[in-house]
Amino acid sequence: MLDLVFTRRFSMGHRLIHGASESCALPHGHNEFVAVRLRPTAPRPLDGSGNMVVSFQRAKSRWHRFVDERLDHALQLAEDDPLLAWFRAHEPERARRIVVTPGDPTTELMACLMMAKLNALLDDDGGLLRCAEITLQETPTNTVRYEGDPLEALPTPRPATDCWWRRADDSIADA
């Protein structure tokens, strides 16, 4: 089986308010690496001419743009975080750069949200590829790897069709 694998680096800020640790309750940031492994939905032998599943350019362009324009230097906050309400009331333009998550934006949750978003983008591009695995490195010593259906791992606080991670657009929040 031929898989396509690529990595992107981005910087982010977040805070965890639901009891992870006191130090994580303060806003802080990480320089993260996200690696994805894409698998063809209909595997077949190379054709003897172009000899690729799809071009790397096609496979990664929308994803890299999403990471660069929506996740890089964004703040990740739980949907019930009081900071989110503050930003929406006092700095609405900056609030648009906040990734809003169902519960604390842990590395585990973000890996699943990102994989679901990538699959929505891939489905929108004809469904030739599917994300088989995602690896999110938060620090050089802390990494989360997920394979499988991310929708099975994600919390479901609202109808699934209303979630930004299910839409093939650049959204990072629902409200």
Side-chain angles (χ1 to χ4, degrees):
M1 172 91 43
L2 293 170
D3 291 343
L4 305 180
V5 180
F6 43 87
T7 302
R8 199 67 165 180
R9 180 185 175 274
F10 66 101
S11 298
M12 52 69 79
H14 71 169
R15 76 178 194 146
L16 311 178
I17 61 171
H18 294 287
S21 73
E22 188 55 34
S23 62
C24 290
L26 292 172
H28 62 284
H30 301 280
N31 293 311
E32 299 194 338
F33 289 88
V34 58
V36 298
R37 181 167 49 94
L38 304 184
R39 177 165 289 156
T41 56
R44 59 184 181 274
L46 298 176
D47 64 8
S49 178
N51 289 324
M52 62 179 73
V53 176
V54 299
S55 71
F56 272 105
Q57 172 66 27
R58 179 176 177 180
K60 66 185 182 178
S61 63
R62 277 183 82 185
W63 174 244
H64 282 188
R65 190 182 79 238
F66 178 76
V67 171
D68 293 348
E69 295 177 7
R70 304 303 286 167
L71 299 181
D72 189 40
H73 286 83
L75 179 60
Q76 302 168 1
L77 295 175
E79 60 193 356
D80 64 342
D81 191 315
L83 279 181
L84 180 59
W86 186 91
F87 270 102
R88 286 179 171 161
H90 301 285
E91 296 191 37
E93 285 302 311
R94 288 193 174 119
R96 290 185 183 93
R97 293 282 300 138
I98 296 175
V99 179
V100 180
T101 63
D104 278 344
T106 62
T107 306
E108 294 87 341
L109 178 68
M110 287 306 301
C112 291
L113 292 174
M114 292 168 73
M115 186 178 197
K117 186 65 156 189
L118 175 55
N119 280 333
L121 297 173
L122 292 169
D123 287 346
D124 190 56
D125 188 37
L128 301 173
L129 299 168
R130 198 88 182 134
C131 186
E133 178 181 284
I134 191 164
T135 303
L136 187 56
Q137 182 186 42
E138 179 184 77
T139 69
T141 59
N142 296 335
T143 300
V144 169
R145 183 178 62 86
Y146 183 78
E147 54 183 296
D149 183 352
L151 301 177
E152 293 176 1
L154 290 170
T156 54
R158 65 186 72 72
T161 55
D162 294 338
C163 301
W164 64 262
W165 54 88
R166 304 275 312 257
R167 296 193 297 264
D169 59 21
D170 286 342
S171 60
I172 55 173
D174 292 328

